[in-house]
Amino acid sequence: MNRDFKNWLETMTDTVADWIYYTDFPKVYNNLEKIKIPLNLLNSLISSKNIRQDFLKLLAEYPEILKVIPILIAKRIKDTIIIKDPEKDYYFNFRKRDYTDNEYADFMENTGIFNLLENHLVANLYDYVTGVEVGLDSNGRKNRTGHAMENLVQSYLEEQGFQLERTLFKEIYQNEVEDRFGVDLSPITNEGNTQKRFDFVIKTNSTVYLIEVNFYSGGGSKLNETARSYKMITEETRSIPNVEFVWFTDGKGWNLAKKNLKETFEVLEHLYNINDLDNGILGNLK
C-alpha cells in the first residue's frame, strides 16, 4: 500500500481527551474520603490564638493527623520532604514518626501552614485540600492521554474480533511473547539482555504482531527518540519469521518532529493513526 506521508500527517488529530481527562473528580473524591477525619481534626486549629500549643496537644491525642500534613503543601504522603535548614537537613517521611512533636510543629510553622490556619486564610481544610487534589490531579494528564489512546486502540482491536487473553494480549513482556508463541525476539532485545514490554500483542493464524501505542499533543525530544527507536525495531523485526511490528500514534505534536517520523513511516508498513483506524486499517493485520 502506497501512502503519502504529507497527506497522512495532515490527518493527525489534536486530542484524545475524554470527559475525565482534565480532572478525574472520582479519583479526587476518593483521595479526600481517605483523609477527611484527620482534616476535620486539623480544622480545630483554624483561628487558634495559641496555635503551636493547640497543635502539640492535638498531635498527642490524634497522631493520625501527621499523615495529612504533606497534602497541605501539595505533596503526597509517599513523598519524603527534604528541608535544608542552616542547622541540619531534615527528611520528613510522614508515614512514620521520625521527629519530635516540636520538630513537626516547626515544620508547620516554617512552611506557613500555621499562618494559613491561625489567620483564617481558609474556611476549612476539606475544601482547601479539594483544590489541592484537583491541582495535583492535573499532573496526571500526560498519563491519561497515553491511557486514552491505548483504550481507543484496544476498542478497535476488539471490534475487529481480537479477544483479550486469547488473541489479544495487553502490556506483555518479550519473554512472555517468546514462551507463549515460540518466537525468538532476541534481535530486538539486545540478544535478550533487555526486557521489552509491548503495549499490545495480537496473534493471527500466521503472524505475531508486536504493538506500541502513544499520542503526542506537543513537541519535544521524546518524539524524535521514539521515532528513531521504532525505526530500529522495524528493521530488526524483519529478521524474525512470522513477527511484525505495528505502531499506532497520533497527535499534532508530530508536526514538530515530522522529519524523524517520516523516516520511520518510509520503512514501517504498519504505522497508523486514529484516522486509519476509522477507515478500517486493521483489516491489513491478517
Side-chain angles (χ1 to χ4, degrees), residues 174-175 178 183-196 232 235-237 239-240:
Q174 132 264 331
N175 62 321
E178 291 176 324
V183 295
D184 178 10
L185 300 183
S186 58
I188 62 175
T189 59
N190 189 24
E191 300 303 319
N193 292 320
T194 60
Q195 269 288 344
K196 172 68 178 170
M232 185 180 299
E235 293 167 342
E236 292 166 340
T237 304
S239 66
I240 309 174

Side-chain angles (χ1 to χ4, degrees), residues 230-248:
Y230 290 174
K231 179 184 177 183
M232 185 180 299
I233 291 176
T234 300
E235 293 167 342
E236 292 166 340
T237 304
R238 288 175 177 161
S239 66
I240 309 174
N242 305 316
V243 172
E244 294 191 39
F245 181 61
V246 184
W247 181 18
F248 294 102

Side-chain angles (χ1 to χ4, degrees), residues 16-18 20-21 24 27 139-155 170-171 197 199-200 213-216 274:
V16 284
D18 56 15
I20 66 169
Y21 167 75
D24 186 350
K27 177 184 172 185
N139 295 329
R141 288 176 187 167
K142 182 177 180 181
N143 289 335
R144 281 199 288 271
T145 299
H147 291 318
M149 185 66 177
E150 289 174 11
N151 291 339
L152 181 67
V153 170
Q154 181 177 339
S155 69
K170 188 173 182 178
E171 297 180 351
R197 190 189 76 170
D199 292 323
F200 297 99
V213 178
N214 44 48
F215 186 95
Y216 296 105
I274 294 172

Side-chain angles (χ1 to χ4, degrees), residues 9 53 60 86-87 99 132 174 189 203-204 252 273:
L9 190 66
Q53 284 191 354
E87 294 187 4
Y99 292 99
V132 172
Q174 132 264 331
T189 59
K203 177 68 173 68
T204 67
K252 294 292 188 180
N273 62 12

Side-chain angles (χ1 to χ4, degrees), residues 51-280:
I51 195 165
R52 187 181 185 93
Q53 284 191 354
D54 289 344
F55 169 76
L56 290 171
K57 181 179 179 182
L58 191 66
L59 179 58
E61 293 185 39
Y62 304 102
E64 63 268 27
I65 64 172
L66 277 182
K67 72 177 184 180
V68 300
I69 290 176
I71 197 66
L72 300 182
I73 57 169
K75 296 288 288 183
R76 295 294 185 195
I77 188 174
K78 66 180 181 180
D79 297 333
T80 297
I81 301 172
I82 304 173
I83 305 293
K84 295 193 73 65
D85 185 81
E87 294 187 4
K88 71 172 184 177
D89 293 344
Y90 290 90
Y91 294 82
F92 285 98
N93 179 345
F94 288 89
R95 290 171 292 181
K96 52 186 179 180
R97 205 162 176 172
D98 293 330
Y99 292 99
T100 67
D101 290 2
N102 272 306
E103 285 174 309
Y104 288 116
D106 290 340
F107 182 96
M108 298 285 283
E109 181 174 352
N110 294 330
T111 56
I113 298 174
F114 276 168
N115 180 60
L116 179 77
L117 298 172
E118 68 182 336
N119 291 313
H120 207 157
L121 300 178
V122 293
N124 70 80
L125 288 176
Y126 189 90
D127 290 348
Y128 168 81
V129 173
T130 300
V132 172
E133 284 285 353
V134 168
L136 290 175
D137 183 70
S138 68
N139 295 329
R141 288 176 187 167
K142 182 177 180 181
N143 289 335
R144 281 199 288 271
T145 299
H147 291 318
M149 185 66 177
E150 289 174 11
N151 291 339
L152 181 67
V153 170
Q154 181 177 339
S155 69
Y156 277 96
L157 290 171
E158 290 178 331
E159 285 178 11
Q160 188 68 18
F162 296 104
Q163 298 178 348
L164 274 176
E165 297 305 318
R166 296 186 64 184
T167 54
L168 169 62
F169 304 87
K170 188 173 182 178
E171 297 180 351
I172 180 170
Y173 283 91
Q174 132 264 331
N175 62 321
E176 299 175 73
V177 177
E178 291 176 324
D179 292 342
R180 191 182 291 266
F181 303 117
V183 295
D184 178 10
L185 300 183
S186 58
I188 62 175
T189 59
N190 189 24
E191 300 303 319
N193 292 320
T194 60
Q195 269 288 344
K196 172 68 178 170
R197 190 189 76 170
F198 300 98
D199 292 323
F200 297 99
V201 168
I202 57 176
K203 177 68 173 68
T204 67
N205 290 333
S206 60
T207 307
V208 174
Y209 291 97
L210 312 174
I211 299 173
E212 290 289 347
V213 178
N214 44 48
F215 186 95
Y216 296 105
S217 56
S221 60
K222 177 67 174 176
L223 286 81
N224 289 320
E225 293 170 10
T226 300
R228 284 193 294 265
S229 172
Y230 290 174
K231 179 184 177 183
M232 185 180 299
I233 291 176
T234 300
E235 293 167 342
E236 292 166 340
T237 304
R238 288 175 177 161
S239 66
I240 309 174
N242 305 316
V243 172
E244 294 191 39
F245 181 61
V246 184
W247 181 18
F248 294 102
T249 193
D250 212 313
K252 294 292 188 180
W254 284 116
N255 288 310
L256 302 174
K258 52 190 173 185
K259 180 180 180 294
N260 283 292
L261 183 63
K262 183 179 180 181
E263 290 178 1
T264 308
F265 181 88
E266 290 172 347
V267 299
L268 177 52
E269 177 185 357
H270 300 297
L271 172 51
Y272 306 126
N273 62 12
I274 294 172
N275 181 67
D276 293 324
L277 289 167
D278 288 338
N279 287 297

